[in-house]
Amino acid sequence: MLKKLVSTLPKAELHMHIEGSLEPEMMFRLAQRNQIELPYPDVDSIRRAYQFDCLQDFLDLYYQGMSVLQTEQDYHDLAWAYLQKCHEQNVVHTEIFFDPQGHTCRGVTFETVMNGLCAALDKAGNELGITHRLIMCFLRHLEEDDAFSTLEMSEPWRERITGIGLDSSELGHPPSKFKRVFERAADMGFRRVAHAGEEGPPEYVQEALELLKVHRVDHGNRSLESRNLVERLAASRMPMTVCPQSNLRLAVVKDMRDHPIRDMLNAGLNASIHSDDPAYFGGYINENFYALIDAIDLTSNEIMQLVKNGFKSSFLPREDIQRHLAAVDTVMDKIL
Ligand code: HPA
Ligand code: ZN
């Protein structure tokens, strides 16, 4: 019954890297189409390789995987496959991360990436009624200069890109490294989010708030180690985009039964549930909820709260958020 509730509820996804939705089947198909050699004989062996001890283990395969993406058609096909999943799972609004530097560093132009993604997103708006925002992330293991030139490349696409984010290897690359880039982006009118407190300490979350002036914290799990920080996050209702299956697969939590989502809600944190890199971590948004239902007996009330937090934390206009919240209430009444 709770799984039926999850699958039926309209949902907003706010933390999903489009490159992380590249399923092994498509990776293989695109590799063939573009005559790229993958270090795997078949799809099964790719899936078997998805065993990670930490974030970096995953990132190594993630960057290798995205190297099959070359043409506008590839980016279109990638995004379209994800958007069809959204449709199947009742995700009605999605704020998609993409990593421009993961493509431009291989000679794929910013324009190629944007043309492909936007074609699929526009089609999903027209044919599936799915709304979207695009958030371009800076790779934090690269230099500040590289982020600045990426910001410059985005200039012609200013109307299509709502926000900037910060992802990749967290430890050793604190938010402070990108303070000036985020200031410039703020001047340009971009919304701001950043991965913080996934592997990094609570101080990185604090830096994201104070130096990057973020509107959302991505992950943020390790905030729980600092009572002061939790109080501050709760008092400001700072959105935190939590990704349970990612947390498990990247050893941020040891067992799903230890997942802190209930503690987060009980501490007054504005947490919501998302899939991060669904092709790598074992599922899309619904499967992330199912995993919590199975492991910690997530209740219908918690499900409703998490789903509503997702809409409230989105970059949609207030009227649209209200409309989605009303639709959530309608489904709650119908199913329960
Ligand atoms: N963390 C940091 N960088 C990422 C992730 C993540 O979970 N997924 C894709 N890039
Ligand atoms: Zn992420």
Side-chain angles (χ1 to χ4, degrees):
M1 216 268 290
L2 290 178
K3 291 185 182 176
K4 171 89 187 303
L5 176 66
V6 164
S7 65
T8 311
L9 279 168
K11 290 168 292 287
E13 178 138 79
L14 308 181
H15 184 160
M16 199 291 306
H17 305 259
I18 195 68
E19 298 88 347
S21 72
L22 178 60
E23 293 286 349
E25 288 77 11
M26 183 176 290
M27 195 190 294
F28 240 80
R29 195 147 42 79
L30 297 187
Q32 273 172 359
R33 189 154 95 185
N34 295 324
Q35 284 147 15
I36 292 167
E37 190 124 11
L38 285 173
Y40 307 99
D42 51 44
V43 164
D44 282 346
S45 52
I46 300 186
R47 282 227 159 77
R48 274 198 301 276
Y50 291 172
Q51 310 245 357
F52 318 113
D53 288 330
C54 61
L55 174 59
Q56 193 60 49
D57 277 1
F58 154 70
L59 289 170
D60 293 342
L61 291 194
Y62 170 79
Y63 295 121
Q64 180 187 78
M66 71 173 76
S67 71
V68 303
L69 299 164
Q70 305 262 335
T71 66
E72 274 183 32
Q73 187 69 45
D74 299 340
Y75 289 92
H76 166 277
D77 293 356
L78 173 70
W80 183 245
Y82 166 71
L83 290 158
Q84 283 175 300
K85 268 283 180 202
C86 286
H87 186 59
E88 274 170 42
Q89 298 210 344
N90 281 318
V91 171
V92 294
H93 176 70
T94 179
E95 305 198 346
I96 293 179
F97 291 147
F98 69 113
D99 287 331
Q101 290 156 299
H103 312 292
T104 53
C105 75
R106 298 179 285 110
V108 177
T109 66
F110 201 96
E111 191 183 14
T112 299
V113 178
M114 286 300 294
N115 282 340
L117 295 181
C118 289
L121 288 164
D122 291 345
K123 187 160 80 168
N126 293 331
E127 294 179 16
L128 309 175
I130 296 171
T131 55
H132 72 273
R133 296 290 184 273
L134 272 172
I135 299 174
M136 63 168 186
C137 291
F138 300 115
L139 301 182
R140 67 203 304 159
H141 67 276
L142 300 178
E143 293 312 307
E144 183 196 36
D145 270 1
D146 211 310
F148 267 120
S149 23
T150 304
L151 191 57
E152 227 160 87
M153 277 180 224
S154 75
E155 193 86 68
W157 299 94
R158 188 61 203 83
E159 295 300 306
R160 296 286 328 218
I161 302 173
T162 301
I164 58 155
L166 189 62
D167 64 2
S168 192
S169 322
E170 187 178 9
L171 288 170
H173 303 285
S176 52
K177 181 174 168 186
F178 296 94
K179 177 174 185 280
R180 299 192 308 171
V181 178
F182 272 61
E183 280 169 355
R184 171 90 59 88
D187 289 341
M188 292 168 76
F190 283 108
R191 305 290 187 107
R192 296 164 306 281
V193 303
H195 284 56
E198 179 182 22
E199 283 191 341
E203 289 73 23
Y204 282 23
V205 177
Q206 206 159 322
E207 282 190 13
L209 301 177
E210 289 170 9
L211 305 181
L212 307 188
K213 303 206 177 348
V214 293
H215 298 93
R216 298 199 290 251
V217 171
D218 296 314
H219 296 298
N221 299 48
R222 287 196 60 193
S223 307
L224 292 171
E225 294 168 27
S226 161
R227 190 187 312 184
N228 268 350
L229 180 59
V230 168
E231 281 173 8
R232 179 177 172 183
L233 290 164
S236 60
R237 294 296 289 160
M238 174 58 60
M240 297 173 76
T241 60
V242 177
C243 308
Q245 287 184 307
S246 165
N247 294 157
L248 183 65
R249 300 290 285 268
L250 299 184
V252 170
V253 299
K254 287 208 167 54
D255 189 296
M256 199 58 97
R257 285 170 298 188
D258 303 329
H259 198 280
I261 193 67
R262 178 166 288 132
D263 294 340
M264 295 174 95
L265 291 178
N266 290 342
L269 294 175
N270 180 9
S272 50
I273 298 297
H274 312 283
S275 68
D276 207 5
D277 299 281
Y280 289 87
F281 300 148
Y284 291 76
I285 196 167
N286 286 352
E287 286 79 25
N288 275 270
F289 276 100
Y290 300 163
L292 291 175
I293 291 170
D294 290 338
I296 64 162
D297 291 318
L298 207 62
T299 66
S300 59
N301 199 42
E302 288 167 330
I303 291 168
M304 178 182 72
Q305 218 179 322
L306 290 163
V307 167
K308 286 189 170 178
N309 287 347
F311 285 113
K312 291 183 199 168
S313 302
S314 72
F315 293 137
L316 282 169
R318 201 181 301 266
E319 320 78 80
D320 292 6
I321 293 175
Q322 290 307 329
R323 184 168 46 78
H324 287 303
L325 295 177
V328 169
D329 284 331
T330 304
V331 171
M332 290 300 298
D333 288 346
K334 198 167 79 188
I335 303 263
L336 295 182

